[in-house]
Amino acid sequence: MDIPVVFTLSSLYILAILCCCSQGQSPPYEAECVEGKYPPPSSRRVKEYVVNLDLPGKERWKHVAAEKKQEIKNILASFKKYIYDFGGIAAEIWYLIDLLGPAIVDVLPQPFQDEIRGISDVTGIEIGEVTLYNIFYEIFTVCTSIVAQDSNGTLYHARNLDFGLFMGWDPKNRTWEITELLRPAIVNLDFQRGGKTVFKSVNYAGYVGILTAISPGKFTLTMNERFTLDGGYIGIINLILTGKGTWMGFLTRATMEKAESFKEARAMLTSTQMIAPAYFILAGNTSGQACVITRNREVNGTDTWWMKEAGGWYVLETNYDHWSKPLFVDDRRTPANKCMKKLTQKGVGIPGIFDVLSSRPVLNKLTTYTALMQVNQGHLETWLQYCPDPCFPW
């Protein structure tokens, strides 16, 4: 089997990083704590759309899908090329996704079945591919989430969403192909019933689940991927064999629609069997009400790490269990903690946290956006992020 050139080049670059670290040399970037990065240029602010939950599922996403049709097609075309470059069974799997798409979507819960059908109708993309688009975020994301409390007890919740590792390294521009294609597809969404906001979120257009969201006045939520051997592929097989398990994005969407409080949201996120493990970073509307929920696929083994246990005024999660050391080539946690401590509790606010999330290597080549939330004000703002060289590839 021929090895794709993009994979070979990205692998060589990563091997170079590993060699530097194993020989005690510094990787080709400098950890930093930047200041004065907020606000970014207005051109980087993400546009907001309304999703009307009173409409039938097939009608809800028409305007977003129509406006972002080409962006969604570009993402899937790149992902498809990446799969076909491997040939063999990988290409056959994609063929089966196209062939069995209608049957695959039939096993999803409502309203997600109809919403995905509606997106497929508007974009003209095969329904199996739209379904795949709605589940592969459970497998490939790396992120940094922070909940911090200012000196008055006000909570701020923010996150970087990084996506595209190993998916097409462009040696000329030194970027990840999927990461570059995802940025134009980022949208802010205001989910409404009866003309009133139920919750707000940040999504890649065409994705109906939730990775970043705020229920105004109630709680905020972000999801970070958790890498374990008991991962998403095993969960998918278990779902096929037993019918047990919930897609992470559908669980978070249901939580945002149904939970009326931090307590109810926490109960939903800790008591539902999942297809893939995850970290849920959850914050409420009162001082100290913030935690990281570390989830297995099964409900057993769930760990809740509270802000007061993390140091009192903030809690920070990347993609590693808080009781374990991060992978030495992907230690965003130590620089992020360093920058938070430099910021101090007095500096907590939208500008200060944005600076922390704009500091390399918390900001890296995979970072697509930074979202900033304040629950009491119902505030959500999202900015496209870029990391010019020198910058770590993940």
Side-chain angles (χ1 to χ4, degrees):
M1 180 180 69
D2 294 332
I3 300 175
V5 174
V6 291
F7 183 78
T8 304
L9 291 170
S10 60
S11 298
L12 288 172
Y13 188 63
I14 291 162
L15 283 172
I17 303 293
L18 291 171
C19 288
C20 287
C21 294
S22 65
Q23 295 173 12
Q25 300 176 20
S26 298
Y29 71 92
E30 291 293 333
E32 60 180 355
C33 295
V34 299
E35 297 179 355
K37 294 295 183 179
Y38 184 88
S42 59
S43 59
R44 288 167 51 188
R45 188 150 194 161
V46 172
K47 182 178 176 180
E48 184 175 272
Y49 301 78
V50 172
V51 176
N52 185 354
L53 294 173
D54 294 322
L55 291 175
K58 290 188 72 172
E59 305 293 320
R60 293 174 181 175
W61 297 90
K62 275 190 171 182
H63 57 309
V64 179
E67 187 167 324
K68 294 291 185 178
K69 174 169 62 176
Q70 192 58 52
E71 286 83 351
I72 300 169
K73 286 185 174 181
N74 291 344
I75 293 165
L76 276 165
S78 179
F79 187 58
K80 189 173 185 176
K81 178 181 179 299
Y82 174 79
I83 295 297
Y84 269 92
D85 278 342
F86 281 94
I89 191 170
E92 289 302 313
I93 288 172
W94 193 280
Y95 169 76
L96 287 173
I97 287 169
D98 281 344
L99 181 67
L100 301 176
I104 293 171
V105 79
D106 282 345
V107 305
L108 299 179
Q110 289 287 18
F112 308 114
Q113 281 188 33
D114 286 345
E115 292 185 359
I116 288 172
R117 289 189 181 99
I119 293 168
S120 176
D121 289 344
V122 171
T123 60
I125 300 170
E126 294 284 348
I127 196 165
E129 295 182 18
V130 179
T131 304
L132 177 65
Y133 181 80
N134 272 274
I135 64 176
F136 68 49
Y137 296 99
E138 310 215 11
I139 304 170
F140 292 107
T141 54
V142 291
C143 320
T144 301
S145 292
I146 300 170
V147 181
Q149 181 174 289
D150 70 13
S151 301
N152 297 318
T154 302
L155 292 173
Y156 293 85
H157 191 161
R159 70 97 48 81
N160 279 358
L161 199 146
D162 306 342
F163 190 94
L165 183 61
F166 302 128
M167 300 179 75
W169 177 254
D170 179 350
K172 181 179 179 180
N173 296 307
R174 298 178 57 78
T175 56
W176 294 103
E177 183 177 342
I178 290 290
T179 307
E180 298 302 300
L181 292 173
L182 280 168
R183 288 196 189 96
I186 297 169
V187 292
N188 275 7
L189 300 173
D190 185 344
F191 289 80
Q192 297 184 0
R193 280 199 186 96
K196 295 182 179 180
T197 297
V198 179
F199 67 95
K200 297 180 180 181
S201 71
V202 190
N203 285 49
Y204 298 113
Y207 179 67
V208 303
I210 295 297
L211 302 173
T212 306
I214 177 171
S215 179
K218 299 173 183 175
F219 62 91
T220 51
L221 171 65
T222 56
M223 173 272 174
N224 290 13
E225 184 170 351
R226 186 184 184 207
F227 306 110
T228 72
L229 294 176
D230 185 23
Y233 298 109
I234 295 175
I236 293 170
I237 293 170
N238 182 70
L239 175 67
I240 293 169
L241 295 177
T242 69
K244 295 181 179 179
T246 300
W247 293 103
M248 174 280 302
F250 298 162
L251 171 59
T252 50
R253 169 79 178 270
T255 300
M256 297 309 302
E257 288 198 43
K258 297 177 182 179
E260 292 295 327
S261 66
F262 171 89
K263 183 178 180 180
E264 288 185 16
R266 180 170 169 263
M268 291 182 69
L269 297 171
T270 56
S271 63
T272 305
Q273 182 170 327
M274 296 167 56
I275 289 173
Y279 301 104
F280 296 122
I281 300 85
L282 184 66
N285 55 14
T286 58
S287 176
Q289 202 174 46
C291 63
V292 175
I293 301 167
T294 302
R295 281 295 313 271
N296 296 328
R297 288 192 306 107
E298 304 284 348
V299 172
N300 62 298
T302 298
D303 176 84
T304 302
W305 185 41
W306 293 91
M307 178 187 286
K308 62 182 178 183
E309 299 169 329
W313 60 277
Y314 78 92
V315 63
L316 186 153
E317 176 60 50
T318 56
N319 299 95
Y320 302 94
D321 298 342
H322 67 85
W323 59 87
S324 302
K325 291 183 178 180
L327 188 66
F328 73 101
V329 294
D330 180 33
D331 186 3
R332 287 162 286 125
R333 179 201 294 171
T334 301
N337 276 315
K338 174 185 174 183
C339 293
M340 285 299 294
K341 289 171 183 174
K342 182 177 179 182
L343 179 68
T344 75
Q345 189 171 14
K346 291 182 179 179
V348 169
I350 296 279
I353 297 176
F354 184 83
D355 283 345
V356 171
L357 291 172
S358 299
S359 300
R360 298 179 180 95
V362 184
L363 175 70
N364 55 76
K365 293 285 189 179
L366 294 168
T367 307
T368 58
Y369 71 77
T370 296
L372 304 151
M373 299 180 282
Q374 205 297 302
V375 65
N376 306 91
Q377 298 174 7
H379 179 77
L380 167 65
E381 61 182 87
T382 310
W383 301 90
L384 302 181
Q385 283 280 36
Y386 302 87
C387 191
D389 286 322
C391 185
F392 205 42
W394 68 79

